[in-house]
Amino acid sequence: MAMEKYLRPQKHRSWFNVAPLNQLPSSGVERLDFLDSFVTVEKRVCDPQYTVRYEGVESMLVTEQFGFLCVWFGENLQQAEWPFPTLFDESFGKDFVIVGPRIFESTNLLDLIENNGDQLHFKTVHDWLESRIWDHHYDEKVFRLRMSGKVRYGRSADSELKRKLTQLLPPSEYAQDLAFHGPGFGAGQIETSTGVRAQLVLAFLPVGDHDLRLHVAVSVDERSLPNWMYQIFHRTP
């Protein structure tokens, strides 16, 4: 049974992404699904680059962050109750590459938070060798988990070829700091003993009555990569 409009608590009083900037129209007006309704997006010749109107009528507060067009959604669409969150203390100086979207059916953000806090599933589902949550913090706007473990890359990959190739790689110590900033954004910082340092932006958007859309933006600190891995990143296709 569909829920009454606006009843889902994760839809309200937060920053949400509308779409990646590289997927927005270069001219004219486009209608895009947003929560259980829609917004219209129009390209401008001045800053901000886009005008976003809720249901094509009410202008919304807009900001561009990590390659996404973002808006405030609350009682007052033009006045945010809190600024766009600071997702990272420092930047690698690299653009974020956006992948997705992925649609999680009959899912809301609380399901994903519970999933990320379930240590057992990292071993049984993702085939980690070890996993441990060693710190957590929460307040009215942020929920943060710090975890570590030992992984062998690709052990739970869908591709059988990837699973076989990863048997050639040594296990790696893995540390992750994952924070959810309201229901619209998450930020992950990852470090491994093989030299990989990465930042992830998780851009969530509840869609329809029951589903959740996720885009992931990734930035890798190339300075920390071993030479062989750096060459793979820069190999000409």
Side-chain angles (χ1 to χ4, degrees):
M1 176 176 167
M3 301 180 73
E4 183 179 347
K5 193 174 186 180
Y6 305 142
L7 191 58
R8 292 173 71 190
Q10 70 271 25
K11 285 186 177 179
H12 219 56
R13 298 178 60 246
S14 190
W15 291 94
F16 292 101
N17 82 96
V18 173
L21 291 168
N22 60 11
Q23 296 180 12
L24 293 173
S26 57
S27 62
V29 179
E30 184 166 340
R31 172 174 165 153
L32 299 173
D33 292 336
F34 182 76
L35 305 179
D36 54 3
S37 187
F38 71 93
V39 295
T40 57
V41 179
E42 183 177 7
K43 179 76 172 180
R44 293 160 46 99
V45 295
C46 57
D47 288 332
Q49 294 188 69
Y50 295 93
T51 296
V52 180
R53 297 185 186 278
Y54 183 65
E55 296 184 337
V57 179
E58 290 188 75
S59 180
M60 305 182 76
L61 183 61
V62 171
T63 182
E64 296 176 11
Q65 301 284 343
F66 303 101
F68 295 98
L69 179 64
C70 308
V71 295
W72 170 261
F73 188 75
E75 295 293 342
N76 187 332
L77 298 180
Q78 273 290 317
Q79 184 174 342
E81 298 176 27
W82 40 287
F84 191 90
T86 300
L87 301 185
F88 306 105
D89 294 331
E90 63 174 337
S91 169
F92 296 152
K94 294 290 183 180
D95 291 337
F96 280 75
V97 177
I98 298 175
V99 296
R102 180 176 178 184
I103 301 295
F104 294 89
E105 297 182 353
S106 299
T107 302
N108 65 44
L109 182 60
L110 298 180
D111 296 317
L112 296 187
I113 291 177
E114 180 183 21
N115 182 69
N116 278 278
D118 179 7
Q119 293 187 75
L120 291 178
H121 102 278
F122 284 98
K123 290 186 177 182
T124 58
V125 176
H126 302 297
D127 216 7
W128 283 31
L129 302 176
E130 298 175 10
S131 68
R132 179 173 69 95
I133 294 175
W134 57 271
D135 190 20
H136 73 279
H137 164 80
Y138 66 92
D139 57 35
E140 63 179 4
K141 297 185 181 69
V142 180
F143 178 79
R144 184 185 302 274
L145 281 173
R146 291 183 172 93
M147 63 181 300
S148 59
K150 182 179 290 187
V151 301
R152 191 186 297 274
Y153 296 111
R155 281 170 61 103
S156 61
D158 293 334
S159 166
E160 183 179 356
L161 177 60
K162 286 183 179 180
R163 293 196 300 272
K164 289 183 177 180
L165 289 175
T166 56
Q167 294 177 10
L168 303 175
L169 298 176
S172 174
E173 299 291 335
Y174 178 101
Q176 175 177 277
D177 184 337
L178 179 61
F180 296 91
H181 297 263
F185 283 90
Q189 300 187 79
I190 297 169
E191 294 190 19
T192 75
S193 59
T194 55
V196 176
R197 296 181 66 220
Q199 295 177 332
L200 308 177
V201 176
L202 312 176
F204 301 101
L205 184 69
V207 289
D209 289 315
H210 305 289
D211 301 338
L212 189 71
R213 188 186 78 192
L214 171 63
H215 281 92
V216 178
V218 184
S219 178
V220 176
D221 183 3
E222 297 180 350
R223 299 167 300 178
S224 67
L225 296 178
N227 185 64
W228 64 270
M229 194 175 293
Y230 181 89
Q231 296 301 324
I232 290 176
F233 269 81
H234 287 268
R235 180 177 295 173
T236 303

